[in-house]
Amino acid sequence: DVKVTQSSRYLVKRTGEKVFLECVQDMDHENMFWYRQDPGLGLRLIYFSYDVKMKEKGDIPEGYSVSREKKERFSLILESASTNQTSMYLCASSFLTSGGLDTQYFGPGTRLTVL
Amino acid sequence: GDSVTQMEGPVTLSEEAFLTINCTYTATGYPSLFWYVQYPGEGLQLLLKATKADDKGSNKGFEATYRKETTSFHLEKGSVQVSDSAVYFCALTSSGGSYIPTFGRGTSLIVHP
């Protein structure tokens, strides 16, 4: 059974802290993604990676960075957490086929609260 | 660029009612189309997909047909259950080698007993 896991389901941090969100997939997917989900705004792409050590900015990269040192692991870093980064964070992975990006597999999400 | 538009919710139905959630898209080329479902407190999971025109995706009693002429991929179910209460996302991926999928805003479905 395919699986994407995220390091925490719930996280509470203080303003200014450095925050690490980890995501691991066991499907050997080349592509991995970080989204944030807020009420009324749907899913917004923060960063994605199409290969080890490769990363591309999504729609809302400000205040975030990422790391992909191994194929199975994609980390999201909040350099200095702020209250407007309180959100649900979702990680996903997928294959790229000749017909385009295939099904995305999502982790359970991390609900981050920044106080 | 690519875009997906789906009906705003919430959609509120009684158990055993018929469900339609509309989804239309704009894309270059021949996209693949997806419906994802997100149950409370969980991540998204694939519900069904279709990769070419006139294909019908189906799963758990849900169906959607890829209509290229109307650029639509409407989700239907003949008889909903309370357990179908969730948020439903329509999405597409382009055939041009793009690494980024495009999602709709999501439609919340609430089914009452």
Side-chain angles (χ1 to χ4, degrees), chain A residues 42-62:
Chain A
L43 293 175
R44 292 183 291 169
L45 182 64
I46 305 171
Y47 268 96
F48 68 100
S49 169
Y50 54 90
D51 203 349
V52 175
K53 296 191 186 295
M54 306 304 289
K55 60 187 178 185
E56 294 285 344
K57 293 179 180 179
D59 299 318
I60 52 163
E62 295 79 19

Side-chain angles (χ1 to χ4, degrees), chain B residues 41-96:
Chain B
E42 298 182 11
L44 282 69
Q45 58 185 271
L46 178 70
L47 181 59
L48 52 85
K49 70 178 184 181
T51 57
K52 61 183 187 294
D54 300 324
D55 268 2
K56 177 186 282 188
S58 62
N59 186 25
K60 299 181 181 179
F62 291 89
E63 292 183 341
T65 301
Y66 188 164
R67 301 284 188 202
K68 187 166 175 60
E69 64 276 12
T70 55
T71 61
S72 64
F73 192 54
H74 304 321
L75 183 68
E76 296 182 337
K77 187 176 186 183
S79 175
V80 294
Q81 306 300 311
V82 172
S83 56
D84 294 326
S85 298
V87 181
Y88 293 81
F89 291 88
C90 185
L92 70 82
T93 60
S94 293
S95 58

Side-chain angles (χ1 to χ4, degrees), chain A residues 29-31 94-103, chain B residues 30-32 34 49 51 93-99:
Chain A
H29 286 163
E30 306 94 347
N31 304 283
S94 68
F95 281 123
L96 183 67
T97 71
S98 58
L101 208 61
D102 202 357
T103 302
Chain B
Y30 301 93
S32 294
F34 304 81
K49 70 178 184 181
T51 57
T93 60
S94 293
S95 58
S98 170
Y99 296 104

Side-chain angles (χ1 to χ4, degrees), chain A residues 20-74:
Chain A
F20 293 86
L21 303 182
E22 302 264 309
C23 175
V24 178
Q25 51 97 0
D26 65 0
M27 295 161 283
D28 203 35
H29 286 163
E30 306 94 347
N31 304 283
M32 297 187 73
F33 306 80
W34 276 106
Y35 298 91
R36 63 178 283 177
Q37 183 178 23
D38 301 288
L41 298 178
L43 293 175
R44 292 183 291 169
L45 182 64
I46 305 171
Y47 268 96
F48 68 100
S49 169
Y50 54 90
D51 203 349
V52 175
K53 296 191 186 295
M54 306 304 289
K55 60 187 178 185
E56 294 285 344
K57 293 179 180 179
D59 299 318
I60 52 163
E62 295 79 19
Y64 303 94
S65 62
V66 290
S67 172
R68 190 152 180 217
E69 296 296 319
K70 294 185 177 181
K71 191 174 186 179
E72 67 271 19
R73 188 179 299 268
F74 192 36

